[in-house]
Amino acid sequence: MKKQTVVTLLLAGVLYVSGTQLATAQTAAPAAAPASTASTGKDLAASAALSPDHTTLLKALQAAGLAEQAKGAGPYTVFAPDNAAFDKLPPETLATLLKPASKKQLTKILTYHVVSGNVMSSDLKDGQVIKTVEGESLTVSVKGSAVTIKDAKGGTATVTKPDIKTTNGVVHSIDTVLMPAK
């Protein structure tokens, strides 16, 4: 499966993580704690447009030409940045990434948020290094119930909503956009 398809599959699922259908399922559990697994009952593509907390991610998927490719067998795990994560980027950076001339770079960033397989929060171990679909690695930190992901540039993202299952993968909503080294 092409990198673009993989990235789209998982990131589309992220869009649904904070969606209205899952919001009630997640409110009973602490944000960073491994909650009981909720399921969208939909594939990543069908789930993508339903989350009001991931509209910027959806725009990025569309700009990269990945939004329509969010169907496939999987499974994949997506670390999906929410709108607040994109708000942390300088406005000019996001605006540049969304331009057609930046499609290759944007695709690289989006695929950096995708891992092959179903990786539940309980599978993540402190110090674990996981390879992304993009080809570079992420490093996991687990302290109590808090899970953070460190990118190649030293930035960290906290998993805010873990273990959202779709029919072709799992999504973990994160609070920071992860950046590959190259």
Side-chain angles (χ1 to χ4, degrees):
M1 186 174 295
K2 292 181 179 180
K3 280 186 185 180
Q4 290 181 340
T5 301
V6 171
V7 170
T8 302
L9 287 173
L10 295 174
L11 292 177
V14 165
L15 295 176
Y16 190 75
V17 170
S18 298
T20 56
Q21 292 180 6
L22 289 179
T24 43
Q26 293 294 318
T27 54
S36 59
T37 304
S39 177
T40 67
K42 300 179 185 307
D43 66 29
L44 293 164
S47 300
L50 299 177
S51 173
D53 294 330
H54 293 87
T55 56
T56 305
L57 179 58
L58 181 58
K59 285 180 191 174
L61 289 169
Q62 292 167 336
L66 301 174
E68 294 302 316
Q69 298 175 5
K71 294 181 187 262
Y76 297 102
T77 299
V78 176
F79 294 97
D82 60 19
N83 291 343
F86 282 101
D87 288 345
K88 291 179 183 179
L89 296 174
E92 62 277 3
T93 299
L94 182 58
T96 299
L97 285 172
L98 295 175
K99 291 181 179 178
S102 300
K103 185 175 180 177
K104 185 176 179 181
Q105 182 183 9
L106 180 58
T107 298
K108 184 175 185 73
I109 291 169
L110 294 176
T111 55
Y112 189 60
H113 290 77
V114 180
V115 177
S116 292
N118 278 320
V119 181
M120 303 302 288
S121 62
S122 60
D123 298 327
L124 298 171
K125 307 296 179 218
D126 192 46
Q128 179 181 6
V129 176
I130 50 179
K131 188 173 181 177
T132 68
V133 170
E134 180 269 339
E136 294 184 48
S137 297
L138 299 168
T139 303
V140 177
S141 177
V142 180
K143 302 223 186 308
S145 63
V147 176
T148 57
I149 308 297
K150 184 176 179 182
D151 67 22
K153 291 190 172 184
T156 59
T158 299
V159 174
T160 57
K161 293 184 182 176
D163 302 331
I164 305 303
K165 292 194 83 173
T166 66
T167 58
N168 56 350
V170 63
V171 175
H172 304 289
S173 189
I174 59 175
D175 67 354
T176 303
V177 176
L178 300 167
M179 293 293 183
K182 301 174 188 174

